[in-house]
Amino acid sequence: MALATRRHDNGRLDLSMYPTTMPNASLRLPSAIVAFAFLLACALATASPPGATAAATFQRDLVAILECRADPATTQRIGSTLRAAMYGDAQQRPAHLRDWRFERGGDEDHPFTTIDMPAPLKAQGITTRRVFVDDLGMSMPIDGAQRERIVATHALRLRSSTLHEPFSVWSRPVAAGEKPLPAAVVVRSDGDGYRLGCDRSGEQGEDVASARRPRVADAHDLAAAAECRASPEALERVEAFWNLALEASQYTWPAQLQGIASRDSDELYVATLFEPIEVHGVPTRKVALGMGLLAAVIEPGTTERAVQAAGMTAADRAEPGLWEKDLHSDDRAGSRVVRSVVVLQRDGVDTLAGCMYGRRVTIDD
């Protein structure tokens, strides 16, 4: 911002208008008043015009949003101003938004708006003239090197999905019992590049978020489900885990879920966990849903080990690469669930060690 100071053509300040001595010593003011008057004069001389002040305030708030520091009121106010500028008469825009360009893109399911600014702004140490607005909030484009720096600075962890966008998200998972931040820095993939934005789900408050999100399976529940020993309550938590994995974006995934992918023409869904679980004595970070199974995905070389730990023998070998053992029906709370322990070796690619759950049947009194 330029200072309102007059200079000669040679660049020197024009001080000739200021007397070097007071004309009358009797008119000399106390030093404190002189100092105050000098500060006031400087403030008046350098004060920005109203339009410049509005532009600076707007840019400051916009940077705060991109850096996940803005409160909800600021975020809402900036969003309302940008929507009015995009949909209203361009000639009626505030002066500091007069030259901004808005372009809508995406499709019906994933619309977004690209905003190009005439002057750059700097957020998270990155200078940009472009921001994006979509249903996940406001973000800015970054490159691979910038992504690596942001990920390291904020200790973010990669979460990936092949089922729906965003396909890759770098975020800071909230540990069990930890209160989520109101707004947390996230990076997500965008074609060949990346976007830097925020996850604002924490602004709803811990109580609201807990009320809306069902309790999901932990490592013990997932292992119990794969070993055919999960209680009905644990199976409900496992169902909630898979519903979030398959339907929700990475922003609302269970804390232990790192990735989700489909295999075999969507016949099987495989979830990757941050920490391993142990199923039939075999550690793994992958669990699967499909083909009638809730299973762990293990290495082919551990197949025999899993078969033995599951209590199966050669008599339970239904066909090459498939072991299956029916368990006694589980009668609880007026219902019956038939379960079968299954180990399925899939052409040397991997092995599914899991449980096939039969139809639940109500028991008549």
Side-chain angles (χ1 to χ4, degrees):
M1 186 178 298
L3 297 177
T5 306
R6 293 184 58 190
R7 295 177 182 268
H8 285 304
D9 293 338
N10 59 11
R12 296 171 53 195
L13 289 172
D14 184 357
L15 301 177
S16 60
M17 67 180 72
Y18 299 103
T20 57
T21 59
M22 297 293 290
N24 190 330
S26 63
L27 297 179
R28 183 171 300 165
L29 299 175
S31 58
I33 297 178
V34 171
F36 176 79
F38 177 76
L39 291 174
L40 179 61
C42 289
L44 293 175
T46 60
S48 303
T53 301
T57 299
F58 188 88
Q59 186 175 73
R60 179 198 64 201
D61 291 342
L62 187 56
V63 169
I65 292 173
L66 291 170
E67 293 184 341
C68 309
R69 299 182 289 104
D71 56 50
T74 299
T75 302
Q76 183 176 6
R77 182 177 67 255
I78 295 299
S80 298
T81 302
L82 290 175
R83 281 192 296 273
M86 181 172 66
Y87 293 108
D89 185 350
Q91 300 303 316
Q92 299 299 319
R93 292 179 186 173
H96 59 277
L97 297 179
R98 196 70 52 80
D99 296 326
W100 288 40
R101 187 164 61 87
F102 301 82
E103 182 177 351
R104 288 187 288 271
D107 53 35
E108 184 176 346
D109 294 328
H110 301 95
F112 66 89
T113 299
T114 302
I115 303 177
D116 290 310
M117 304 170 288
L121 58 77
K122 191 173 185 179
Q124 296 280 11
I126 300 168
T127 301
T128 184
R129 291 177 180 266
R130 171 170 289 183
V131 295
F132 302 102
V133 181
D134 58 16
D135 58 344
L136 296 176
M138 187 172 293
S139 59
M140 57 187 285
I142 60 174
D143 59 29
Q146 293 165 338
R147 184 211 73 201
E148 291 181 3
R149 178 178 66 80
I150 295 295
V151 166
T153 299
H154 296 275
L156 307 183
R157 302 176 77 176
L158 171 62
R159 292 178 149 187
S160 61
S161 170
T162 62
L163 306 184
H164 46 68
E165 294 186 77
F167 295 114
S168 297
V169 170
W170 288 260
S171 63
R172 180 180 175 271
V174 178
E178 181 183 2
K179 185 177 181 180
L181 297 173
V185 174
V186 293
V187 175
R188 52 187 163 120
S189 59
D190 179 32
D192 295 332
Y194 308 93
R195 294 189 190 182
L196 172 62
C198 305
D199 172 15
R200 299 190 174 275
S201 58
E203 290 180 347
Q204 300 174 346
E206 190 174 11
D207 295 338
V208 175
S210 298
R212 291 183 178 178
R213 177 182 295 187
R215 185 181 174 189
V216 298
D218 57 16
H220 176 78
D221 292 335
L222 293 172
E227 292 181 348
C228 286
R229 54 181 178 82
S231 66
E233 295 78 16
L235 287 178
E236 290 180 1
R237 295 191 292 270
V238 171
E239 181 181 2
F241 171 92
W242 281 106
N243 284 339
L244 286 174
L246 297 175
E247 298 176 5
S249 73
Q250 291 94 315
Y251 293 87
T252 56
W253 273 0
Q256 70 268 39
L257 178 58
Q258 181 182 20
I260 186 73
S262 63
R263 295 184 184 176
D264 304 330
S265 301
D266 294 340
E267 186 179 5
L268 187 71
Y269 297 100
V270 177
T272 302
L273 309 176
F274 281 113
E275 303 296 335
I277 63 173
E278 191 169 292
V279 175
H280 298 313
V282 180
T284 180
R285 291 178 53 235
K286 296 183 182 295
V287 292
L289 173 68
M291 304 170 63
L293 295 173
L294 285 171
V297 181
I298 61 177
E299 295 293 331
T302 61
T303 301
E304 290 294 337
R305 177 179 166 188
V307 168
Q308 295 176 8
M312 293 190 286
T313 65
D316 299 307
R317 186 173 182 178
E319 58 184 71
L322 173 62
W323 292 261
E324 183 173 359
K325 181 179 181 179
D326 292 337
L327 301 179
H328 295 295
S329 60
D330 185 6
D331 299 343
R332 300 184 186 184
S335 65
R336 174 174 297 163
V337 178
V338 180
R339 312 181 189 200
S340 300
V341 178
V342 175
V343 175
L344 173 62
Q345 192 168 18
R346 303 195 311 151
D347 298 330
V349 177
D350 52 34
T351 294
L352 302 179
C355 185
M356 183 176 294
Y357 289 82
R359 185 170 58 91
R360 179 170 299 195
V361 179
T362 302
I363 302 175
D364 296 330
D365 295 331

